[in-house]
């Protein structure tokens, strides 16, 4: 069986577009900062500093005390290009538009007027200044969103590269240029006050010093000029050899120290009193320093960079250098492998190209933890520092984790890129483990091109199985790290190992080789049991232990599902147009979800053998993993630092899982933002009406079937035992009249409580004459039975009985006898109503209960009346035939069930 075709796509922020969107965008994890400088704000009412960093299309707000996330803004149409803030608003530029956010979340103002992208923003009192790449400067009125002033500069002569407002200089701004000169403008009168010739190098940073009239100027050449702009005089000149100056900040806690950032992640600390270098903070970030800020009046320095990290440094020790106090970070290089950890679906383990292994929480960022970077020698790398690159291991390509014994010893084992030795990791300690797993055969002699490619851990957490490119598959003990065995006499496979897996009971080990074989081995004795040959080499393999299904991706972009019990191919799928990067099963084993280099993520329904969902992305997914609880699908992508969550819509709305047509082309879905998508739990009416029509079950599915009513058992089960129930519920004492009875709204007796009308109460109180109609004993049910005798339609009397309770039903059936105001014809009509119910095979249990009570109440009359005996003689074979049919079906089902419970299959 094969399936192919496109699929449905979801919209950018959680809604679903046309088609059967099974997964919709929810939120992103592991993103803290990018290449834009952060903004530091002070909240007067909270008396606390807040940090704002840009992350793609939105920005995060953190408190400086704990570096905990406080708010996430709504997403903008494109990535943010610059951030700035004043006391009330946060300004973010996006393309040629400038947005003002209130309460760190909502867009409050939008400023339109630029033709090219904005790259500089400066809040200026009741105005805000923006500069685009064409060096057009526009001053906006913050509240009215109107343009106050526009200044046009010639890009070839004066391309604006930095902007600042000198302290105490009313209505004046200082502009730096890529050519080197600086200009001081009075924007109220639109007048150029002074031009500084510059120092022969482009200006990158302008920063106000704590002293009035003094400005620090960072240049492309690496020079830092501390300049007095009032007298146009150089006070101090420093030089850093690390490239252009990226950021400058001054300490304001009584120490005359200036910090300057560089493109290679180093920070220089300069003593302004002694005019010399005070210290160096090397490798503060893995990439360029995007922004650094000293907290006002405190010895705290906050830095951020494009390595997706925010760090807080405190200067409380001798020597003048800062020590790391707090940090918030994700991967500084794209993740290579992600897997859910544990059974609660709250932690995702992620290995990145930065050689780190990290855990991200789907609940809250405060539960994130970093397990550190892989190191060749753990002790030496500790001495040299965390940022030492010479001792770092290559990036992790694949890993396996098990929680069974992680509190006792290491529970994670990882393979590294083109590296023979596998490392163990301890999740509880949050660090690299004690063992390095390497075959003894390769310990003495180094073999080029031999390295670990596949790994798995048994469900008990005691053993690790590792496959190599040489075709060897080895077993190691996780507690001691000792080599425990090898599969095959010499090699397990003639080619490279593409995948290894161990079943849930440690009975079999399954290995996949590049020569095209899938082999089954006994886990303990390492004997070969069975092998399956594929015409195309397997590329990846994943085992669902609960269902015993093995998913195999092939080099021809096909997918095969192999049943571990029968060792036969159960399903074959095709449809991907590129290499399959990763696969994952749903928790119940019903779906197989695959990600490919054709930028699609496809969901295959295994029972039906069809493609039921497919969506297209801008970048290919490198790794995917499904939550053990089935609520989220997580994905990591090419050249992307984040981990993206997709919610499973089938858990909270109706989703059609019809097979998708072969010619369907999915539309592109945008990756989710860092805040949960708004309105994702609202199912659109149009979508439901077009794609998912709710099935209305008919009263009778088939003529040969027997259908029960939807009434509860209390309405019919105790009809034969009402006399016993009445005796048990008989009051021992007569009710006592209370001294002052409370007021009650009068109700009409019946199964459904209804209030009596005022007119009925008034008539009941005023009239004392007994109406003749009251003496008539014919109830509505009695009259409907008489009418149905002539029309042969018993829907109306049956509906009346269904609405009654057990006591009322008994009263109505007693009233059918001639002694209680009924008649033989009415009793005959009731028996015909039971016959009609049996003919239609609907409300089967009600027909049995009503007939049993009828026979119990009127047995003497039925035996003495010929007309009623004739009706019973027609009803008896009909009832017997129906019971024999049902009993046959019950016996067949019980026989099959008993066989399945006792037989050895």
């Amino acid at each position: 069986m094969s399936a192919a075709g496109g699929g449905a796509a979801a919209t950018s922020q959680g809604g679903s577009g046309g088609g059967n969107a099974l997964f919709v965008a929810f939120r992103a994890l592991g993103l803290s900062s990018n290449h834009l400088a952060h903004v530091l704000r002070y909240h007067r009412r909270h008396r606390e500093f807040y940090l704002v960093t840009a992350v793609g299309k939105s920005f995060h707000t953190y408190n400086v005390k704990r570096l905990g996330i406080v708010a996430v803004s709504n997403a903008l149409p494109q990535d943010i290009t610059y951030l700035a803030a004043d006391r009330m608003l946060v300004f973010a530029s996006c393309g040629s538009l400038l947005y003002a956010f209130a309460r760190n979340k909502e867009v409050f103002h939008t400023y339109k007027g630029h033709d090219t992208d904005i790259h500089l923003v400066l809040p200026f009192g009741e105005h805000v200044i923006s500069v685009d790449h064409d060096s057009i400067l526009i001053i906006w009125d913050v509240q009215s969103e109107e343009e106050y002033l526009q200044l046009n500069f010639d890009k070839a002569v004066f391309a604006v590269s930095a902007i600042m407002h000198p302290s105490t200089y009313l209505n004046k701004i200082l502009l730096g240029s890529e050519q080197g000169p600086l200009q001081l403008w009075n924007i109220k009168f639109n007048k150029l006050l002074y031009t500084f010739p510059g120092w022969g190098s482009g200006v990158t940073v302008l920063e106000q010093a704590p002293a009035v009239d003094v400005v620090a100027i960072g240049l492309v050449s690496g020079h830092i000029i501390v300049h007095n702009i009032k007298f146009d005089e150089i006070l101090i000149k420093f030089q850093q050899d690390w490239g252009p100056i990226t950021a400058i900040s001054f300490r304001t806690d009584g120490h005359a120290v200036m910090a300057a950032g560089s493109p290679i992640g180093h920070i220089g600390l300069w003593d302004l009193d002694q005019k010399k270098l005070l210290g160096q903070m090397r490798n503060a970030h893995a990439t360029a320093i995007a922004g650094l800020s000293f907290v006002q009046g405190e010895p705290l320095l906050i830095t951020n960079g494009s390595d997706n990290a925010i760090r807080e440094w405190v200067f409380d020790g001798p020597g003048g250098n800062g020590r790391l106090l707090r940090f918030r970070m994700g991967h500084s290089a794209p993740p290579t492998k992600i897997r859910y950890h544990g059974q609660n679906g709250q932690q995702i383990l992620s290995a990145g190209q930065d050689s780190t292994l990290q855990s991200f929480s789907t609940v809250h960022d405060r539960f994130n933890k970093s397990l550190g970077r892989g190191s060749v020698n753990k002790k030496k790398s500790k001495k040299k520092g965390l940022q030492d690159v010479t001792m770092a291991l290559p990036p992790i390509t694949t890993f396996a984790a098990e929680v069974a014994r992680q509190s006792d010893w290491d529970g994670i084992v990882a393979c590294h890129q083109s590296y023979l030795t596998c490392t163990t990791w301890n999740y509880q300690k949050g660090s690299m483990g004690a063992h390095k797993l390497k075959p003894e055969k390769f310990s003495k002699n180094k073999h080029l091109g031999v390295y670990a490619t596949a790994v798995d851990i048994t469900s008990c957490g005691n053993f690790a199985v590792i496959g190599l490119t040489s075709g060897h598959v080895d077993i190691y003990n996780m507690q001691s790290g000792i080599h425990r065995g090898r599969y095959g006499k010499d090699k397990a496979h003639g080619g490279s190992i593409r995948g290894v897996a161990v079943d849930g009971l440690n009975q079999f080990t399954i290995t996949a080789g590049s020569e095209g074989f899938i082999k089954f081995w006994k886990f303990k004795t390492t004997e070969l049991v069975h092998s399956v040959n594929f015409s195309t080499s397997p590329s990846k393999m994943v085992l669902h232990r609960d269902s015993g299904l093995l998913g195999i991706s092939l080099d021809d972009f096909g997918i095969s599902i192999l049943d571990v019990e029968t060792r036969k191919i159960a399903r074959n799928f095709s449809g991907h147009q590129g290499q399959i990067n990763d696969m994952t099963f749903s928790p119940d084993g019903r779906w197989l979800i695959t990600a490919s280099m054709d930028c699609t993520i496809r969901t295959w329904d295994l029972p039906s053998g069809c493609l039921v969902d497919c969506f297209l992305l801008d970048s290919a997914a490198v790794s995917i993993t499904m939550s053990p609880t089935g609520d989220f699908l997580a994905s990591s992508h090419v050249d992307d630092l984040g981990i993206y969550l997709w919610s499973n819509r089938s858990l909270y709305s109706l989703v059609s899982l019809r097979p998708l047509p072969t010619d369907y082309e999915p539309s592109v879905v945008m990756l989710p933002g860092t805040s949960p998508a708004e309105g994702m739990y609202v199912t659109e009416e149009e979508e439901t009406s077009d794609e998912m029509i709710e099935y209305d079950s008919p009263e009778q599915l088939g003529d040969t079937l027997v259908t029960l009513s939807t009434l509860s058992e209390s309405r019919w089960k105790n009809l034969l035992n009402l006399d016993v129930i009445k005796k048990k519920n008989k009051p021992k004492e007569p009710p006592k009249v209370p001294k002052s009875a409370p007021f009650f709204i009068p109700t009409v007796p019946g199964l459904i409580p209804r209030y009596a009308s005022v007119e009925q109460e008034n008539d009941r109180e005023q009239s004392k004459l007994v109406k003749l109609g009251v003496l008539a004993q014919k109830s509505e049910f009695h009259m409907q039975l008489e009418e149905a005798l002539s029309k042969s339609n018993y829907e109306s009397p049956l509906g009346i009985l269904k609405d009654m309770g057990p006591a009322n039903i008994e009263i109505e059936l007693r009233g059918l006898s001639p002694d209680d105001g009924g008649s033989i014809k009415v009793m005959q009509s009731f028996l015909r109503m039971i016959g009609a119910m049996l003919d239609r095979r609907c409300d089967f249990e009600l027909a049995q209960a009503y007939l049993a009570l009828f026979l119990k109440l009127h047995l003497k009359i039925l035996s003495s009346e010929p007309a009623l005996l004739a009706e019973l003689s027609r009803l008896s074979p009909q009832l017997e035939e129906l019971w024999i049919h049902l009993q046959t079906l019950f016996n067949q089902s019980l026989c099959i069930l008993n066989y399945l419970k006792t037989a050895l299959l």
Side-chain angles (χ1 to χ4, degrees), residues 440-459:
E440 295 179 1
K441 182 177 180 180
F442 302 103
S443 297
K444 297 179 182 178
N445 302 321
K446 291 186 177 180
H447 291 257
L448 297 175
V450 178
Y451 52 89
T453 55
V455 68
D456 195 20
I457 293 184
T458 57
S459 57

Side-chain angles (χ1 to χ4, degrees), residues 112 199 233 289 295 309 318-319 360 418 440 502 511 548 580 601 609 627 636 652 673 686 713 771 800 808 840:
K112 303 177 182 178
W199 296 269
E233 179 183 348
I289 305 294
V295 179
F360 296 99
S418 302
E440 295 179 1
V502 183
T511 59
I580 296 172
I601 295 179
S627 169
S636 62
Y652 55 84
E686 296 180 358
E713 290 185 353
K771 296 181 181 179
I800 294 174
N808 289 339
R840 293 189 303 125

Side-chain angles (χ1 to χ4, degrees), residues 114-134:
H114 286 282
D115 295 328
T116 57
D117 291 352
I118 299 171
H119 73 105
L120 292 173
V121 178
L122 176 67
F124 196 73
E126 296 179 355
H127 299 82
V128 61
I129 304 170
S130 60
V131 184
D132 61 21
H133 285 294
D134 287 341

